[in-house]
Amino acid sequence: MTRPARYATALLVALTTLLAFLGRAHTPAADPPATPSERGFGRDIKPLFTKHCLSCHGPDKQRGGLRLDRATDALAGGDSGAAILPGKPTESLLLHKLTSDDPAERMPPKGDRLSAAEVATLRDWIAQGARWPVDPVGPDHWAFRPPIRPAVPSIATAQNPVDAFIRARLASASLQPSPEADRRTLLRRLKFDLLGLPPTPDEVVAFEQDRSPDAYEKRVETYLASPHFGERWARHWLDVVRFAESHGFEMNHERPSAWPYRDYVIQSFNSDKPYDRFVREQLAGDVLGTDEATGFLVGGPWDEVMSPDPVLTAQQRADELHDIVGTTGSAFLGLTVGCARCHNHKFDPVAQVDYYRLKAAFAGVRHGERAWQSAAPAKDRDSLQAELAKADAALVALEPLADPKATTPRRLPVNSRLNIERFPPITAAAVRFVILATTGAEPCIDELEVFASEPKPNRVDMTGTRLRSSGDYAAAPTIHRLEFLTDGKYGNSRSWISNERGRGWVEIEFPKPVRIDRVVWGRDREGKFTDRLATRYRVDVWTADFQWVTVATSDDRVGFRSTPPPAPPVLGASDRVTWEKLSASRTDLRRRLADLEKAGVVYAGRLAAPEPTFRFHRGDPMQPREPVGPGVLSAIGPKFDLATTATDPDRRLAVAKWITQPQHPLTARVIVNRLWQHHFGTGIVDTPSDFGRNGGKPTHPELLDWLACELVAPSTPTSGTGGETSPPVPWSLKHIHRLIVTSATYRQSAATTLAGLEKDAQTRLLWRYPPRRLEAEAIRDSILFVSGKLDLRMGGPGFSAFEPNTNYVRVYAPKKTTGPAEFRRMIYMQKIRMQADDTFGAFDCPDGGQIAPRRNASTTPLQALNLLNGEFLLQQAGFLADRVAVTATNPTEQAQTAFHLAFQRSPSEKELAGAVRLIERHGLPALTRALLNTNEFLYLD
């Protein structure tokens, strides 16, 4: 078959699938209703193709494949010309292929053929003009049109524009809004929503007694101004952008320098940073003065195990960039852009080439750390390094000489970080390190250093040396190579590994003999890895007499598995004291330097010159097609051009500016919908990261457009606590928060009515406030808050819920006990990918493996068991009981105090009687434990 004929066949295969899709997928969700002729298309043409599950893509390389879900593309055809000529069935290539007897020409190429009657139906459709439905995925979709500010409905009882839109929709459904919630419920709702914490009993009393007309508005402003506002709302955003503090995959190593991005989000929300600026910084913060903001780009999983297989390596790189492209599209645009990786998007107007244009825009981004401009001054680091060098030198001077003939331990056991082999000066032409046993697997040495004793003590220059080994590890040649043994760079990522399990040797031959007295080695000088450590070894020197002489062995060291003494056993009493002091000082200096180094870098991506980008046929990196330059989506949003020679920062900044153009149809709609979702439990569009044709239909489209326009160009004045008004700020998220939480809609009671349940059981029309369970973070923080143990310290490195471990493949075991170090807010708990917190992970916490724009709300036995019997809950129930007992001495007072702390109200007579009986029979902790497990504590209404 000729090449054009193959292309035509591919086109026709795809076209048959498309016709089936058109008949199946065109439902009147948010688009104009179908015409009678379009329904005929679905009724008559659909059955001809739904049984042929075929798919392919056209050959139009300039656009990454024909858009066969568009009539314009399908009727244009490929290199062989049009597949369908409307009104001319006998000249249409489609019918020719469907009726051909040539196996190389027939359509479909496999499976059952269309019957004569089915071909006749298709022929009649073409003869009648081949009328297609309105393009279901084109720019006519509501979300792809720029929002136009609608007029606010005239509702006499509505003072807030939000209420006007909501009540107009309720009236059309013959529903009535609910009355306002009582003040305690309202304040509890407001503080949980804005801060993620319950009010104190005193706050509730003060609000109930405040009869000023702006009593509620004053609380709104107080909570919006609280530094804890950012902690609450940052958690929502971190879910959207799949942020976690470990790499994922089988190794799942931690990212100790990822936390600055989390703090950046918190600070941005607290300062009410304009949302357009917030978006731009996350894509190009390196050129906007916020390095940590680009942690967004590399916040997803990363396969750190590099493969020597070029196919796997190419796939890994393609997956990294796919994660960046997909998350950018879903977070900011509410689009499943990633679906165009292998083919044109099946539902939305996102061509495959558009996907690769965006990929080219991010082609200079790689996972990893880079210098952080917000880091501590270099002079602090230099000072600590100088002190550490002095301590190291003093310890070297005290290090006992190795004695190959010794039969009793003289020296400390080997350790993975640093080992010194001192011996009397000797002239060496070569040094050989022979490994006889390890802690497991093939031995690894990150650096083998030799020190000269004459003319002055110094590290031997390795220039001109020759390296030999027993054999080199081949599985990871990019990080484990023989030449890394003497390159002067420490760490596992530049080390040598033997190719023999438990043994091996390396040899350094000098260009000329040198007088030496020390060899220094370690498995990982950075202290990150402890496996593959040599535990039995010897050090040999090739002398001027042309013979190998053993100068040091492991035989005179304390056994590796033994409990190490605080100092080398051979030292005298005075030297042992000095050694212990120096060792303690070195440990502290290393810790302080490590903390400073962590602060000096941020996991925000390594940024370099963009690599060339090609469109991958069917998304396969081993099938590159034409080169693709940087760009944006061609059919959605403002038009945009970007030079193919643009640098990496220019590319990313250009995309950021395109996303944040005021006329972009998606950006503002998507973010105001996210805010609405977290205030009411469900967004106006219930698929918050999919505004495309396959996403949900807005329940209040005019309100969504009004809010989007209000965000970009606000018109509603901002009221102050004293009744004054101030000009609204463009792109202010707090302005939208304020509009929502001050609305009568938000302040409604959650009580049900029969009429409401009959017509809107899911409360999507908001005839009442929709109750919901608190998220895991709010539950944990609230437990700590009422027990009096919550540490409100903000920012910086977080705490871990897991026991320390240095396994090469991390194993995360939950901590058996928790203390003050773990009593911070849960947003500061290190987010380990694929490993949930032992207690609260059961409450639908995302695992960080992918975006989580909307959490599930499950009810499981494990949740009840964790809260009833979990160690954390039992501990905190005890703390709450202790807090109650400080001021309440008898069971009645204790029950009343406990209710006030947990629920901010007094118990009813029945509740009080039951609580007193429980205290008398089982003790006060039994009551506090029960209160922390109630629906009233765990749910928001």
Side-chain angles (χ1 to χ4, degrees):
M1 187 187 300
T2 64
R3 183 178 178 183
R6 287 198 301 271
Y7 284 163
T9 299
L11 168 63
L12 295 175
V13 173
L15 183 58
T16 59
T17 304
L18 169 68
L19 297 180
F21 161 72
L22 290 175
R24 177 182 72 250
H26 188 65
T27 57
D31 295 310
T35 65
S37 63
E38 290 163 2
R39 294 193 186 99
F41 175 93
R43 181 186 65 248
D44 299 329
I45 302 302
K46 172 184 174 182
L48 305 185
F49 303 105
T50 52
K51 64 182 179 181
H52 302 288
C53 299
L54 308 170
S55 65
C56 192
H57 307 289
D60 189 338
K61 296 183 178 181
Q62 297 304 313
R63 290 181 290 168
L66 287 172
R67 289 290 310 208
L68 296 183
D69 49 359
R70 296 187 188 187
T72 53
D73 283 0
L75 296 177
D79 294 347
S80 297
I84 294 176
L85 295 176
K88 300 178 180 180
T90 59
E91 300 177 32
S92 294
L93 188 58
L94 172 61
L95 285 177
H96 171 71
K97 295 291 183 180
L98 290 173
T99 57
S100 175
D101 292 327
D102 184 349
E105 295 283 324
R106 59 167 284 184
M107 287 290 298
K110 297 180 181 180
D112 296 336
R113 305 194 65 179
L114 274 68
S115 68
E118 291 171 331
V119 172
T121 300
L122 186 60
R123 182 183 291 111
D124 291 343
W125 175 69
I126 296 174
Q128 294 169 9
R131 296 188 61 186
W132 290 54
V134 174
D135 187 352
V137 293
D140 285 339
H141 179 57
W142 68 269
F144 303 151
R145 296 189 298 266
I148 299 174
R149 184 187 292 266
V152 178
S154 179
I155 305 292
T157 58
Q159 303 300 314
N160 184 314
V162 170
D163 296 325
F165 286 103
I166 294 296
R167 293 187 178 183
R169 183 69 179 88
L170 288 175
S172 69
S174 300
L175 286 171
Q176 294 295 321
S178 297
E180 185 168 296
D182 65 82
R183 287 206 161 193
R184 170 192 160 273
T185 298
L186 192 55
L187 190 67
R188 181 177 168 86
R189 179 189 303 168
L190 180 69
K191 191 172 181 183
F192 267 118
D193 255 7
L194 295 184
L195 304 187
L197 295 170
T200 64
D202 289 344
E203 283 181 280
V204 172
V205 170
F207 180 49
E208 290 176 334
Q209 294 176 353
D210 186 349
R211 293 304 167 187
S212 59
D214 62 344
Y216 178 75
E217 286 74 12
K218 287 188 292 187
R219 270 67 184 182
V220 170
E221 296 305 319
T222 297
Y223 294 154
L224 285 175
S226 169
H228 304 303
F229 170 82
E231 293 173 323
R232 170 64 163 165
W233 284 85
R235 181 65 266 166
H236 298 321
W237 182 255
L238 296 179
D239 283 0
V240 169
V241 302
R242 69 355 184 174
F243 173 79
E245 294 171 83
S246 70
H247 294 320
F249 292 90
E250 68 273 20
M251 305 291 287
N252 207 15
H253 286 172
E254 301 90 338
R255 294 177 182 172
S257 60
W259 60 266
Y261 174 73
R262 174 248 294 152
D263 282 3
Y264 160 80
V265 176
I266 293 172
Q267 293 159 7
S268 295
F269 287 155
N270 275 338
S271 65
D272 198 19
K273 180 174 291 181
Y275 182 68
D276 59 339
R277 175 79 183 186
F278 182 61
V279 173
R280 291 197 296 270
E281 288 179 346
Q282 291 179 83
L283 296 178
D286 52 309
V287 295
L288 297 175
T290 50
D291 272 314
E292 63 274 24
T294 59
F296 162 83
L297 296 171
V298 292
W302 176 57
D303 189 355
E304 63 184 303
V305 180
M306 298 292 104
S307 170
D309 184 345
V311 176
L312 292 178
T313 299
Q315 187 66 56
Q316 286 175 319
R317 179 59 177 154
D319 289 344
E320 291 172 22
L321 290 172
H322 175 73
D323 172 69
I324 296 173
V325 171
T327 305
T328 299
S330 63
F332 302 127
L333 303 178
L335 283 181
T336 55
V337 176
C339 291
R341 178 182 186 177
C342 305
H343 49 68
N344 296 321
H345 201 293
K346 294 297 185 182
F347 301 99
D348 300 332
V350 181
Q352 187 189 23
V353 73
D354 287 348
Y355 170 91
Y356 286 95
R357 288 190 184 110
L358 282 173
K359 179 181 176 182
F362 298 113
V365 180
R366 289 183 176 272
H367 273 261
E369 298 173 325
R370 71 171 188 270
W372 185 20
Q373 294 180 4
S374 301
K379 64 179 182 180
D380 294 343
R381 188 162 45 251
D382 293 343
S383 175
L384 288 175
Q385 287 174 337
E387 291 184 56
L388 181 60
K390 289 181 181 179
D392 283 338
L395 285 167
V396 167
L398 288 173
E399 178 73 32
L401 294 176
D403 184 355
K405 299 179 181 180
T407 57
T408 57
R410 296 168 43 84
R411 301 188 292 155
L412 294 177
V414 294
N415 68 87
S416 61
R417 190 160 191 164
L418 181 69
N419 299 282
I420 300 172
E421 314 293 339
R422 284 187 65 218
F423 41 82
I426 185 173
T427 301
V431 169
R432 184 170 63 191
F433 192 91
V434 183
I435 301 167
L436 305 173
T438 70
T439 54
E442 301 86 349
C444 176
I445 300 177
D446 74 339
E447 193 74 11
L448 188 62
E449 298 175 296
V450 182
F451 285 80
S453 59
E454 298 174 8
K456 62 178 182 178
N458 202 359
R459 185 178 187 272
V460 174
D461 184 2
M462 293 297 169
T463 303
T465 58
R466 295 179 59 188
L467 296 176
R468 286 184 288 271
S469 73
S470 56
D472 305 327
Y473 190 69
T478 59
I479 61 174
H480 302 303
R481 299 166 65 174
L482 181 60
E483 56 263 41
F484 290 162
L485 192 70
T486 58
D487 65 353
K489 298 179 180 179
Y490 301 145
N492 180 73
S493 60
R494 295 185 68 87
S495 61
W496 170 81
I497 296 182
S498 169
N499 67 345
E500 297 181 73
R501 186 176 181 85
R503 58 191 303 113
W505 57 265
V506 288
E507 181 181 311
I508 304 173
E509 180 181 347
F510 305 115
K512 61 181 181 180
V514 59
R515 192 78 169 164
I516 65 173
D517 65 354
R518 188 180 1 142
V519 170
V520 178
W521 63 279
R523 186 270 178 256
D524 177 17
R525 213 72 63 92
E526 294 179 340
K528 297 178 181 178
F529 295 86
T530 59
D531 61 340
R532 302 178 181 273
L533 173 64
T535 55
R536 289 188 56 234
Y537 62 87
R538 71 172 189 267
V539 180
D540 298 334
V541 169
W542 182 254
T543 68
D545 298 332
F546 306 106
Q547 60 179 333
W548 287 107
V549 174
T550 299
V551 294
T553 75
S554 55
D555 294 343
D556 65 341
R557 289 187 177 273
V558 175
F560 174 70
R561 300 295 182 187
S562 305
T563 301
V570 74
L571 293 181
S574 176
D575 286 343
R576 276 202 296 271
V577 172
T578 303
W579 179 283
E580 291 174 17
K581 289 181 179 179
L582 287 170
S583 294
S585 175
R586 180 171 66 178
T587 299
D588 180 64
L589 288 168
R590 282 177 174 173
R591 179 191 59 77
R592 291 165 58 192
L593 190 59
D595 289 344
L596 200 60
E597 292 295 340
K598 290 177 184 177
V601 295
V602 58
Y603 198 94
R606 293 184 289 110
L607 309 175
E611 61 200 48
T613 299
F614 300 88
R615 182 179 64 84
F616 293 157
H617 180 57
R618 296 181 178 176
D620 183 356
M622 304 314 292
Q623 297 190 62
R625 294 298 190 259
E626 73 280 1
V628 178
V632 294
L633 306 185
S634 57
I636 302 175
K639 300 303 177 185
F640 196 87
D641 293 320
L642 188 60
T644 57
T645 57
T647 63
D648 165 66
D650 287 343
R651 294 181 183 202
R652 290 182 284 107
L653 187 58
V655 172
K657 289 180 177 178
W658 172 76
I659 291 174
T660 55
Q661 289 190 40
Q663 65 269 34
H664 200 292
L666 290 166
T667 310
R669 278 188 177 120
V670 169
I671 188 59
V672 297
N673 186 69
R674 294 195 194 281
L675 302 189
W676 189 273
Q677 169 192 334
H678 292 298
H679 283 301
F680 291 105
T682 305
I684 296 173
V685 175
D686 63 0
T687 53
S689 286
D690 186 1
F691 273 46
R693 183 68 175 84
N694 216 31
K697 178 181 178 180
T699 54
H700 301 79
E702 295 84 4
L703 173 57
L704 180 64
D705 282 2
W706 188 90
L707 288 171
C709 293
E710 183 68 13
L711 175 68
V712 177
S715 62
T716 305
T718 298
S719 299
T721 56
E724 72 282 0
T725 61
S726 58
V729 178
W731 294 99
S732 166
L733 296 183
K734 285 189 178 181
H735 176 56
I736 303 300
H737 283 294
R738 187 178 290 108
L739 282 168
I740 292 173
V741 300
T742 57
S743 69
T745 301
Y746 179 81
R747 295 158 72 167
Q748 291 179 109
S749 166
T752 61
T753 65
L754 184 59
L757 292 176
E758 287 178 346
K759 294 182 178 181
D760 182 26
Q762 300 300 316
T763 321
R764 295 298 307 282
L765 301 183
L766 297 176
W767 52 272
R768 65 165 180 151
Y769 179 82
R772 64 187 188 274
R773 192 192 67 207
L774 295 170
E775 305 96 328
E777 291 83 0
I779 295 174
R780 184 183 188 273
D781 293 350
S782 297
I783 292 172
L784 286 165
F785 186 82
V786 300
S787 74
K789 296 298 182 180
L790 181 61
D791 179 358
L792 289 173
R793 179 166 43 97
M794 297 179 63
F799 66 92
S800 177
F802 303 99
E803 297 288 352
N805 79 99
T806 57
N807 296 335
Y808 193 63
V809 175
R810 292 289 192 265
V811 178
Y812 291 101
K815 286 184 176 177
K816 297 179 177 62
T817 59
T818 56
E822 291 79 37
F823 291 168
R824 299 178 69 189
R825 296 197 69 173
M826 193 170 171
I827 194 170
Y828 298 113
M829 179 187 291
Q830 292 174 359
K831 181 71 174 178
I832 301 300
R833 220 175 293 274
M834 305 184 302
Q835 187 67 55
D837 165 65
D838 197 40
T839 300
F840 297 95
F843 289 86
D844 307 299
C845 281
D847 67 2
Q850 57 188 350
I851 62 170
R854 183 180 180 185
R855 293 190 183 186
N856 294 327
S858 65
T859 301
T860 68
L862 186 58
Q863 295 167 354
L865 290 171
N866 283 352
L867 287 190
L868 191 62
N869 300 318
E871 290 295 330
F872 179 84
L873 197 288
L874 294 175
Q875 177 195 54
Q876 296 303 317
F879 288 146
L880 177 55
D882 293 341
R883 183 184 183 189
V884 169
V886 170
T887 57
T889 57
N890 61 67
T892 299
E893 292 177 349
Q894 290 171 346
Q896 291 171 331
T897 301
F899 266 76
H900 278 106
L901 290 173
F903 304 146
Q904 302 84 50
R905 67 171 178 85
S906 299
S908 67
E909 290 184 8
K910 184 176 180 180
E911 289 171 331
L912 181 59
V916 169
R917 284 197 302 272
L918 183 60
I919 294 172
E920 290 174 342
R921 294 178 183 178
H922 301 286
L924 180 55
L927 173 64
T928 56
R929 178 184 178 190
L931 296 181
L932 297 178
N933 275 271
T934 59
N935 281 349
E936 185 171 357
F937 187 82
L938 302 173
Y939 277 76
L940 195 61
D941 59 12

